[in-house]
Amino acid sequence: MLDEWSSNILQHDPMLLYRHKRDGNHRSVTSKYEILGFISSGTYGRVYKARSLSEGGTIHAIKKFKPDKEGDVITYTGISQSAIREIALNREIDHENIVALKEVILEDKSIYMVFEYAEHDFLQVIHHHSQTLRASITLTVLKSLTYQLLNGLVYLHSCHILHRDLKPANILITSAGVVKIGDLGLARLIYEPLQPLFAGDKVVVTIWYRAPELLMGAKHYTKAIDCWAVGCVLAELASLRPIFKGEEAKLDSKKNVPFQRDQLLKIFEVLGTPDENDWPGVVHMPEYQSMKRLDHFQSQLVGWCNSRIRGPQGYDLMRRLFMYDPDTRLTAKDALQHKWFQDEPKPTWNAFQTIPQQQIPPHRRITQDEAPSMMPVPQHMSQQGVGHAHMVAFGQSQSKPGSSASFASLSGGGGHYGAQSGGNGRKKARLG
Amino acid sequence: MAADFWVSSHYERWIVDRATLHQARAEDIQFAENPEYLDYLPIYFANLITKLGKKLQFRQRIIATATVFFRRFYLKNSYCETDPFTVIAACCYLAAKAEESPVHIKVIVAESKSLFSQESYGSRPFSSDNGKIAEMEFYLVDDLECDLVVFHPYRTLLSLCKKEASDSSSSEEGETEDLGVGIGPDDGPRYWGTGDGQLEFTPAALQTAWSIINDSYRSQLCLLYPPHLIAIAAIYLTFILHPPTRPDSSPVAAEHISADGARRRSSRQAHNPPRAAATPKKPQDPIAFLADLNVSLPAVAAIAQEIISMYTLWDRYSEDSMCGVPGVGTPSGEGADADGGPDGGHITPSFLSAVLLRMREARVMDASPIAPSVSRPVAVNKRLERAQAAG
Ligand SMILES: Nc1ncnc2c1ncn2[C@@H]1O[C@H](COP(=O)(O)OP(=O)(O)OP(=O)(O)O)[C@@H](O)[C@H]1O
């Protein structure tokens, strides 16, 4: 017979040998990076600033995904769909204007994605101008930011990837003034999807940036939703406030998606109520009847742009990005070729090149992480932390040899983004 | 770029040579009583993944992705040092998410438990603890180096072949549905370049090619060649089965392939008798068409050859229910040496399950702190017997 030890392994822990081998080779997050502080917590995880302990101490942003759990019960249910997407897509892409994923570390039931660090983001630039400088963003900077954003989006779209969550907070800028599209957690490959896009996520895109076809209940949508969001972002950069700042109607108890009346009204007030000429497909939209009951508006876009974007080409670009009909809306590629970018002043690759140092937004604030954290903790405490987390998550399994810090926190915690509290429109509503 | 195979993780990191494949089995060979049995394991595991996938109502592409994950995992690991059943469950769980069709972990665990507890798979206890699969998923993603976007030959098949419009309604059954809904035709430029237009295929012929692609996952081809070449090889084999220029295409064509390989084995063949196949309106020279594609024809021929060898191997393999010979495939029978094998009749899942279990036992014994390991590479059976005598 097999000895007891052996048969016990085969019966009860058949992956033991494998785990031993793997854990033995594992290099933990803290053995590779020094955690400098906590940046922000988003829907899916917490983001930390870290310094690499090798390669000359490069600075990185480490995103730690919350483990997927069900309700309050800590039953571990595997890697979230969002993390899978973000990991899978990031491994396939490589572009100057997309935040680069450096590595992924899987450790103690948590996933750590190590990204290149970006010192700023669009939201922060907007706040800096509206709160501190009290001046609008210069035309050169405005063009540079928009141009680079579009350049990254053209790449994503050429890879058949929809971002589906473009908004100022997700568009980052390095200290060298290079725009980096981030957060691919909602992004999807639309190349031959097995499931219709609608089937997976009922709600995509944060409400203020959500395209009219989505608000009208379209089951099918395209890359054009990202181009709408670019229009909204451009408008927000130009005016320093969201152009369509609607209230989101909440899902009902059965998780049905309600008619987004207020958001549509905010759009119609600026762009006018769409009719069949603007958008032949509008009559087939599920919410068409509800829409017809709303007050009727004329377009105010010319006036809106006059005071904010200055110049006919800027207006023309906005107008085309805000086409109601997704099929005629400007594509990212065509937007990049738009005359606005060819006219003086031309966009620059360092978006901050033309502005004085003191006008550049301040560095990202980092804080000590209040919640159970990645911040350095005394060794004896951290050991305890790991052991405990193991017990909670995996029952009988042993603490692994390679790990050293208390990452296995199962709570999300409530960090905040510096002084910026965005209001509900900044938060995206996501359904599982 | 996710849409371009040549810059994908699949192409850059996961197409390997045969030496690497061979090296990956080095440890298994040490612990196997007869290394020849290892040749059947790719079929055994692919069948298992397909079975689990069907129970989970997976689309064909998810099953294919799960199989590719499994193969990649075992490029780096040994069967004897792992529990392939846990790995299969995790591969299916992960593939469903990677293909944006997630299934709850509880469902995966329940279906795995019920499938793997069948006698054919050694009636093994399979943990109903979600955590075990979740944990495995973690290690799996790590071993896969986070490369989760997988390319499959189906796309090439559909972009190269158009279904003849005339009688497309005749075969709406089964997998053909996948053709329409799951995977749309390739609208992008064909990166490897083609001659002109598309091949004309009858629905039956398209179905055959589709089935051959399904079957190709029972080999290691997905690790050796880019998927579009596998698709072209499948088309090439389909021409042999459904010669488009001969109206009277007869089953004889099938015999060209192997004794009764593709014909009998291909999953959905029965639905589409060869009579219904072939005969496009205007004759197209398929060989010229293939020759015009900007691909390596020797590689295509090598793949076709490999598929045929796989069918030959598969011929000696049968599911337990089909095997009427008593004594064959009995797990852990009276004396391992009398346990069937290639000359004792068909190789069955029961038999392979037993082989696998003995390999794993031998490996664990080797690592056991209690039983001192016996020097290798003495036949592991002997060692086992000794250990049994001692115990
Ligand atoms: N590469 C980076 N460099 C610096 N800061 C970053 C980086 N990536 C993310 N951040 C910061 O962390 C925040 C949250 O990151 P991210 O958007 O990826 O997470 P999320 O959980 O999807 O959040 P949300 O739901 O708000 O989109 C960002 O808004 C940004 O402030």
Side-chain angles (χ1 to χ4, degrees):
Chain A
M1 271 309 290
L2 285 173
D3 64 68
E4 201 180 317
W5 183 86
S6 303
S7 71
N8 200 37
I9 285 175
L10 286 174
Q11 287 283 323
H12 300 295
D13 194 4
M15 294 301 279
L16 182 88
L17 292 180
Y18 171 77
R19 275 207 319 276
H20 264 288
K21 194 154 114 188
R22 292 299 309 280
D23 295 348
N25 296 332
H26 183 76
R27 287 195 55 205
S28 69
V29 177
T30 46
S31 75
K32 290 174 147 182
Y33 299 94
E34 177 195 352
I35 307 300
L36 301 173
F38 167 70
I39 298 175
S40 165
S41 95
T43 318
Y44 288 111
R46 306 171 69 76
V47 180
Y48 299 85
K49 184 173 180 176
R51 177 187 296 129
S52 173
L53 293 174
S54 56
E55 50 174 85
T58 324
I59 302 296
H60 296 281
I62 300 187
K63 181 167 175 175
K64 178 191 178 190
F65 278 86
K66 298 173 196 170
D68 219 19
K69 44 174 189 164
E70 289 210 316
D72 294 331
V73 192
I74 304 168
T75 49
Y76 189 68
T77 58
I79 305 174
S80 72
Q81 186 73 24
S82 168
I84 294 282
R85 274 180 188 145
E86 195 161 0
I87 291 170
L89 293 179
N90 266 300
R91 287 291 285 171
E92 306 294 325
I93 60 180
D94 176 18
H95 189 268
E96 173 81 348
N97 296 118
I98 314 282
V99 176
L101 175 67
K102 196 181 153 244
E103 68 168 328
V104 180
I105 300 176
L106 295 121
E107 185 169 298
D108 288 334
K109 294 80 188 170
S110 285
I111 297 172
Y112 300 86
M113 294 183 74
V114 182
F115 290 103
E116 66 178 309
Y117 181 73
E119 193 63 81
H120 314 282
D121 57 60
F122 278 24
L123 185 59
Q124 183 215 28
V125 168
I126 290 165
H127 278 264
H128 182 62
H129 281 80
S130 66
Q131 313 289 321
T132 313
L133 302 176
R134 297 182 182 275
S136 52
I137 297 172
T138 68
L139 189 56
T140 314
V141 175
L142 181 64
K143 277 193 192 181
S144 306
L145 295 179
T146 312
Y147 187 85
Q148 295 189 41
L149 164 60
L150 282 167
N151 198 45
L153 188 59
V154 167
Y155 175 78
L156 282 182
H157 284 179
S158 76
C159 298
H160 302 272
I161 294 169
L162 292 193
H163 187 282
R164 307 200 302 179
D165 197 19
L166 287 177
K167 59 177 178 182
N170 284 342
I171 307 166
L172 313 179
I173 313 166
T174 64
S175 49
V178 180
V179 173
K180 305 275 179 182
I181 298 178
D183 194 1
L184 294 183
L186 254 196
R188 264 201 64 174
L189 208 50
I190 48 163
Y191 207 75
E192 307 164 347
L194 277 185
Q195 294 279 338
L197 293 177
F198 176 78
D201 312 83
K202 280 198 185 146
V203 181
V204 296
V205 193
T206 308
I207 187 90
W208 297 343
Y209 309 91
R210 202 176 295 162
E213 60 270 28
L214 294 170
L215 298 168
M216 293 290 288
K219 297 275 186 287
H220 176 74
Y221 54 84
T222 61
K223 294 167 184 168
I225 65 160
D226 286 337
C227 297
W228 179 275
V230 170
C232 299
V233 170
L234 167 57
E236 190 165 336
L237 289 171
S239 70
L240 304 181
R241 57 174 59 88
I243 180 169
F244 309 129
K245 196 173 174 180
E247 281 293 318
E248 179 158 31
K250 291 295 168 212
L251 305 170
D252 67 17
S253 56
K254 296 195 195 78
K255 296 213 170 180
N256 291 315
V257 182
F259 178 55
Q260 296 292 353
R261 183 175 177 279
D262 192 59
Q263 183 63 30
L264 278 170
L265 278 172
K266 290 292 186 309
I267 293 172
F268 296 169
E269 283 168 17
V270 179
L271 301 178
T273 307
D275 60 27
E276 269 189 84
N277 288 327
D278 308 323
W279 184 4
V282 69
V283 294
H284 306 299
M285 291 288 132
E287 302 285 13
Y288 182 61
Q289 294 309 323
S290 316
M291 184 199 101
K292 280 209 302 198
R293 287 195 287 274
L294 300 178
D295 291 344
H296 205 271
F297 294 89
Q298 297 294 321
S299 175
Q300 309 293 331
L301 187 63
V302 179
W304 192 95
C305 287
N306 261 342
S307 57
R308 297 168 178 93
I309 273 220
R310 307 173 291 270
Q313 293 303 337
Y315 161 75
D316 189 68
L317 176 59
M318 292 272 283
R319 185 180 66 85
R320 290 172 191 272
L321 287 170
F322 284 146
M323 288 286 190
Y324 277 115
D325 183 355
D327 293 336
T328 54
R329 194 173 302 149
L330 209 55
T331 63
K333 205 170 167 189
D334 289 341
L336 203 60
Q337 305 298 324
H338 196 276
K339 194 149 183 307
W340 190 55
F341 298 115
Q342 282 144 34
D343 288 352
E344 293 297 330
K346 295 219 171 68
T348 55
W349 278 115
N350 173 355
F352 301 134
Q353 190 174 306
T354 53
I355 56 171
Q357 188 65 37
Q358 66 272 19
Q359 283 184 26
I360 294 176
H363 286 186
R364 218 175 258 291
R365 270 180 48 176
I366 57 172
T367 57
Q368 297 294 305
D369 189 6
E370 336 73 59
S373 72
M374 293 213 344
M375 301 301 289
V377 267
Q379 199 62 22
H380 67 277
M381 279 180 63
S382 66
Q383 285 297 352
Q384 225 171 357
V386 171
H388 178 67
H390 265 276
M391 296 305 289
V392 173
F394 282 169
Q396 71 275 59
S397 76
Q398 288 294 306
S399 143
K400 57 172 75 160
S403 53
S404 61
S406 65
F407 299 146
S409 69
L410 291 158
S411 82
H416 35 74
Y417 182 77
Q420 304 156 4
S421 65
N424 92 70
R426 299 228 183 264
K427 293 258 172 277
K428 90 200 96 197
R430 284 180 186 171
L431 289 182
Chain B
M1 187 154 83
D4 185 345
F5 177 74
W6 302 114
V7 291
S8 66
S9 61
H10 188 153
Y11 179 67
E12 287 179 355
R13 293 187 280 272
W14 295 102
I15 301 289
V16 303
D17 58 15
R18 284 176 201 275
T20 309
L21 271 190
H22 189 77
Q23 184 55 35
R25 296 279 69 76
E27 190 174 31
D28 287 329
I29 287 172
Q30 280 184 37
F31 288 95
E33 54 214 73
N34 180 347
E36 244 178 73
Y37 298 156
L38 293 180
D39 297 343
Y40 292 90
L41 289 178
I43 298 178
Y44 169 87
F45 288 124
N47 283 356
L48 253 179
I49 294 169
T50 305
K51 274 192 180 172
L52 183 58
K54 297 266 187 246
K55 279 162 77 89
L56 293 162
Q57 295 177 318
F58 278 179
R59 308 294 292 275
Q60 195 61 49
R61 195 166 92 194
I62 308 177
I63 294 176
T65 298
T67 312
V68 172
F69 286 169
F70 184 86
R71 300 260 183 264
R72 289 179 181 179
F73 179 84
Y74 282 109
L75 269 180
K76 297 180 166 185
N77 297 287
S78 319
Y79 296 127
C80 64
E81 218 172 76
T82 55
D83 177 38
F85 300 92
T86 306
V87 177
I88 286 175
C91 286
C92 286
Y93 181 48
L94 182 62
K97 284 191 277 193
E99 296 290 350
E100 294 279 355
S101 311
V103 173
H104 198 284
I105 194 164
K106 271 191 273 193
V107 179
I108 301 267
V109 169
E111 292 296 350
S112 302
K113 199 175 162 68
S114 99
L115 178 62
F116 300 147
S117 66
Q118 286 173 13
E119 224 174 295
S120 305
Y121 308 113
S123 316
R124 304 176 55 266
F126 188 84
S127 167
S128 40
D129 176 5
N130 297 349
K132 286 261 191 284
I133 299 302
E135 178 189 60
M136 187 60 230
E137 182 192 29
F138 249 72
Y139 286 110
L140 177 63
V141 168
D142 213 11
D143 263 338
L144 295 176
E145 296 167 35
C146 298
D147 294 330
L148 306 178
V149 175
V150 178
F151 286 70
H152 294 295
Y154 302 108
R155 175 200 286 192
T156 308
L157 175 66
L158 295 174
S159 67
L160 277 187
C161 306
K162 64 167 184 268
K163 219 177 357 173
E164 274 171 31
S166 52
D167 54 350
S168 56
S169 57
S170 67
S171 63
E172 282 316 314
E173 209 185 329
E175 311 253 329
T176 25
E177 211 179 297
D178 262 327
L179 304 181
V181 188
I183 302 176
D186 188 343
D187 54 357
R190 288 191 210 108
Y191 40 89
W192 25 269
T194 69
D196 54 326
Q198 290 180 302
L199 273 175
E200 288 166 17
F201 253 16
T202 60
L206 191 51
Q207 187 63 67
T208 300
W210 183 274
S211 302
I212 292 173
I213 292 174
N214 289 349
D215 294 343
S216 75
Y217 287 96
R218 286 169 175 90
S219 67
Q220 311 261 46
L221 281 169
C222 60
L223 297 175
L224 290 167
Y225 294 98
H228 67 278
L229 291 183
I230 298 174
I232 292 167
I235 291 170
Y236 170 72
L237 289 174
T238 304
F239 282 138
I240 300 175
L241 287 163
H242 299 274
T245 44
R246 273 187 299 157
D248 61 329
S249 76
S250 59
V252 178
E255 311 309 324
H256 280 302
I257 275 214
S258 84
D260 50 357
R263 168 113 322 204
R264 211 194 63 195
R265 294 296 189 175
S266 290
S267 351
R268 298 288 155 101
Q269 279 299 294
H271 296 309
N272 301 295
R275 280 171 285 102
T279 59
K281 265 117 245 154
K282 48 180 165 22
Q284 197 184 27
D285 183 356
I287 298 306
F289 183 90
L290 291 184
D292 276 349
L293 299 175
N294 184 18
V295 299
S296 151
L297 290 183
V300 171
I303 296 168
Q305 197 58 53
E306 186 117 344
I307 293 176
I308 292 166
S309 316
M310 182 275 296
Y311 280 131
T312 312
L313 212 55
W314 196 2
D315 257 356
R316 292 193 219 122
Y317 179 95
S318 63
E319 292 300 319
D320 291 298
S321 51
M322 291 183 221
C323 167
V325 191
V328 175
T330 322
S332 63
E334 311 74 38
D337 292 332
D339 234 11
D343 45 5
H346 276 146
I347 297 282
T348 64
S350 301
F351 175 74
L352 290 174
S353 300
V355 167
L356 202 59
L357 184 61
R358 285 194 294 269
M359 262 166 70
R360 294 177 54 204
E361 283 173 353
R363 176 65 187 88
V364 170
M365 291 290 280
D366 198 49
S368 170
I370 300 154
S373 73
V374 179
S375 65
R376 295 179 212 158
V378 182
V380 176
N381 277 336
K382 295 269 154 47
R383 184 145 46 107
L384 209 67
E385 279 164 18
R386 240 181 285 169
Q388 280 168 347

